[in-house]
Amino acid sequence: MQHYKPAAHKIWLYGLAGTVWLGVGVMLAVFSSRWLKPIALSSMLLLILAGIALAVPIYYFGFSKLARKNIRRIGAYAKERVCLFAFQEWKSYPLVAFMVSLGIYLRSYSALPKPLLAVLYLGIGGGIFSASLHYFAHILGFFKHEV
């Protein structure tokens, strides 16, 4: 019996990875905005700045390196058409499941105040969102070379 793997050209893997990362970054920012909405403007601005300040090292030391690693890994595939789920390393899927579970726990069951959680979500979301741009920049560079 032959198993079917949804295959796509590598360019679609870059696009899918960038879109997923961008979507997660936006989703985390939306959660943060809901939690910050009822707070006074001056406090809200300080918390947003704290989230941005947290996003910079998360992007620089974490997600930007991971995005570049994924871009190199996808580019190194020998075949032009690869399994669509290979946009992320297979060993990364359990980590993603853990992070999603931790996020659900933190926002649903944790005693952490939502404004503090908003800073964390903005930091992680901002880092992921910023790193997603690596995928799109790679796609644009890819098409430049194709012309």
Side-chain angles (χ1 to χ4, degrees), residues 28-39 43-44 47-48 51 102-123:
L28 293 175
V30 167
F31 278 126
S32 296
S33 70
R34 288 181 190 153
W35 297 329
L36 293 174
K37 200 178 248 184
I39 294 184
S43 297
M44 181 193 309
L47 292 170
I48 290 171
L102 181 61
I104 291 169
Y105 170 78
L106 286 173
R107 74 175 169 269
S108 301
Y109 304 108
S110 168
L112 283 174
K114 294 296 191 223
L116 184 58
L117 198 54
V119 172
L120 179 63
Y121 269 51
L122 276 175

Side-chain angles (χ1 to χ4, degrees), residues 34-95:
R34 288 181 190 153
W35 297 329
L36 293 174
K37 200 178 248 184
I39 294 184
L41 182 61
S42 58
S43 297
M44 181 193 309
L45 291 175
L46 285 174
L47 292 170
I48 290 171
L49 286 174
I52 292 169
L54 184 60
V56 171
I58 288 174
Y59 161 77
Y60 184 78
F61 294 110
F63 290 119
S64 69
K65 291 180 181 187
L66 185 55
R68 284 192 215 102
K69 180 182 170 188
N70 281 340
I71 289 167
R72 285 190 302 275
R73 182 183 46 76
I74 292 168
Y77 285 130
K79 297 178 181 177
E80 282 302 308
R81 292 180 56 81
V82 217
C83 178
L84 195 57
F85 297 107
F87 75 90
Q88 188 73 27
E89 261 186 313
W90 290 107
K91 66 181 182 181
S92 295
Y93 280 100
L95 176 61

Side-chain angles (χ1 to χ4, degrees), residues 6-14 73-84 86 138 142-143 146:
H9 190 279
K10 289 192 273 188
I11 194 75
W12 289 103
L13 272 66
Y14 299 123
R73 182 183 46 76
I74 292 168
Y77 285 130
K79 297 178 181 177
E80 282 302 308
R81 292 180 56 81
V82 217
C83 178
L84 195 57
H138 183 78
F142 180 40
F143 283 129
E146 293 288 310

